[in-house]
């Protein structure tokens, strides 16, 4: 069975593949290794409205489907990009009313599980 990307998924793949190819070079990844996070790269990613893309439009987000977030995740993984976009996208998507700061990426969300 041959599976291909939808038009929206191809647009996400093209945008973020090009973005990470230009911004997540080896030197950026190595520089972020001690913390696993590069704030400059995160800021550039925020300029693309990526932190809000998985949130429903009526909640102020971009309305991307889960399949489009999977494509974003593949781009992040391929580039070994040191940004917490997947964790953030999952956490923000789960919130009933995400704040403007979370949608903009000014604050970073994550999920902490406890027993």
């Amino acid at each position: 069975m041959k599976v291909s990307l939808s038009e929206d998924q191809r647009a996400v793949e093209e945008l973020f593949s090009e973005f990470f190819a230009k911004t997540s070079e080896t030197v950026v990844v190595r520089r972020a290794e001690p913390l696993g996070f590069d704030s400059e790269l995160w800021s550039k990613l925020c300029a693309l409205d990526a932190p809000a893309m998985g949130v429903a439009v009526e909640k102020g987000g971009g309305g991307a489907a889960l399949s489009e977030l999977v494509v974003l995740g593949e781009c992040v993984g391929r580039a070994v990009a040191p940004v917490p976009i997947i964790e953030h996208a999952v956490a923000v998507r789960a919130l009933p009313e995400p704040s403007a700061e979370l949608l903009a990426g000014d604050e970073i969300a994550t999920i902490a599980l406890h027993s």
Side-chain angles (χ1 to χ4, degrees), residues 57-110:
V57 172
E58 56 272 8
K59 293 182 181 181
L66 286 176
S67 59
E68 292 155 359
L69 293 176
V70 168
V71 173
L72 170 59
E74 290 176 345
C75 294
V76 170
R78 191 177 315 115
V80 193
V83 288
I85 189 63
I86 302 308
E87 299 90 326
H88 180 83
V90 169
V92 172
R93 189 178 176 97
L95 293 172
E97 294 297 326
S99 69
E101 292 80 14
L102 287 171
L103 293 174
D106 297 335
E107 294 179 354
I108 300 172
T110 192

Side-chain angles (χ1 to χ4, degrees), residues 22-88:
K22 292 177 184 174
T23 60
S24 188
E25 301 95 2
T26 305
V27 67
V28 172
V29 175
R30 288 193 176 141
R31 183 178 63 222
E33 192 173 346
L35 299 175
F37 176 75
D38 186 273
S39 60
E40 184 178 328
L41 181 57
W42 177 256
S43 294
K44 291 176 183 177
L45 190 59
C46 291
L48 297 176
D49 295 326
M53 70 182 272
V55 176
V57 172
E58 56 272 8
K59 293 182 181 181
L66 286 176
S67 59
E68 292 155 359
L69 293 176
V70 168
V71 173
L72 170 59
E74 290 176 345
C75 294
V76 170
R78 191 177 315 115
V80 193
V83 288
I85 189 63
I86 302 308
E87 299 90 326
H88 180 83

